[in-house]
Amino acid sequence: MSDNTDKAARLAELTAELDTGATSEPAGVRRLREAREAAAVREASQGSDVEGVPLVKAGDVVHATATGMHLPRTTSLWGGVPALALTRGDRVVVTEEMIAADVDRNGNPGWTAMVHDPDRQVARWGRVHIAPGEPPAGMQPWERGDSEWSEQREIARKSAWAETDPQRRAAALQRVNDVYGPPPTTSTIMATYKMDRAYEEQEARIAASAAAGVPNLGPSQGA
């Protein structure tokens, strides 16, 4: 009888210790622990939020396919590490803190469940913002047609025009087209680039003539 009494008393002491520990556990630490436990349960059961679509894990590498998304990095409601603002082409190593911060109060993951599911990203955000793996080689922070592309192309074009040597200037203008593609063709900006195109053609003729060792006579009069 005494043995059972001792066991019951010890169990009560352990329960009290656990209750005390849980009460003193900071909210951020508790949420991180609970998120880890929930992630472990999901991974052990199926490893996927949607059938056939894996969840990202701590240590996985992902990359941004668009600019503008912010990834939370803390479970703290006040202060903590600020969210990570993504620029197209950014490489991100997923951390446990990111995974914990991505879980809502119901235990459901957000972006970490959609990295491998571009269709869900489009349905939720209107486009794909993040993809698994390393960013493709040469991936630029801009996309053709967006404001960043237009600004960077204009900077490169002005820099090429500033080159005093005709051959280097022609080569620099060609690099602008190689990297950024041709200029926009809408009527509102056609006038800005119309003379540029004629100038680039003339510079190309000068460079070709210099390479061939013959004078540049300009375009044919009959053209």
Side-chain angles (χ1 to χ4, degrees):
M1 186 69 172
S2 59
D3 289 343
N4 291 337
T5 302
D6 292 341
K7 289 180 181 179
R10 181 55 181 161
L11 179 59
E13 291 175 2
L14 291 174
T15 302
E17 290 175 4
L18 289 174
D19 290 341
T20 301
T23 302
S24 62
E25 185 179 35
V29 174
R30 176 178 55 77
R31 289 189 62 190
L32 178 58
R33 174 179 56 76
E34 290 174 349
R36 287 174 177 171
E37 292 171 353
V41 170
R42 290 197 305 271
E43 185 173 353
S45 61
Q46 57 182 6
S48 173
D49 182 57
V50 175
E51 186 176 357
V53 179
L55 295 165
V56 295
K57 303 182 297 297
D60 285 354
V61 174
V62 300
H63 68 274
T65 57
T67 297
M69 188 173 184
H70 291 72
L71 303 183
R73 292 185 290 178
T74 180
T75 58
S76 175
L77 299 178
W78 300 277
V81 181
L84 179 64
L86 296 183
T87 298
R88 186 173 187 268
D90 282 352
R91 176 184 185 273
V92 179
V93 178
V94 180
T95 66
E96 289 188 353
E97 288 73 19
M98 286 180 177
I99 294 174
D102 187 51
V103 177
D104 65 20
R105 60 183 180 181
N106 296 317
N108 300 314
W111 68 267
T112 54
M114 291 187 279
V115 170
H116 295 273
D117 196 340
D119 291 339
R120 286 181 68 193
Q121 293 190 48
V122 172
R124 180 167 180 177
W125 300 313
R127 66 168 304 155
V128 176
H129 273 270
I130 195 164
E134 301 284 347
M139 190 176 195
Q140 300 290 348
W142 41 259
E143 293 182 271
R144 176 174 170 78
D146 66 18
S147 59
E148 179 71 12
W149 168 81
S150 182
E151 179 181 348
Q152 293 302 317
R153 191 185 192 284
E154 181 65 7
I155 292 172
R157 184 185 68 85
K158 289 181 177 179
S159 177
W161 269 53
E163 177 57 63
T164 57
D165 181 85
Q167 293 188 50
R168 290 199 296 268
R169 183 164 56 243
L173 289 168
Q174 183 59 50
R175 283 196 297 274
V176 172
N177 279 331
D178 291 343
V179 173
Y180 297 95
T185 56
T186 61
S187 58
T188 57
I189 55 177
M190 175 63 81
T192 304
Y193 291 99
K194 185 176 181 181
M195 293 188 65
D196 293 357
R197 287 173 170 168
Y199 184 83
E200 291 171 7
E201 291 173 359
Q202 175 67 7
E203 291 301 315
R205 287 194 294 270
I206 292 173
S209 297
V214 297
N216 172 47
L217 301 179
S220 171
Q221 296 300 314

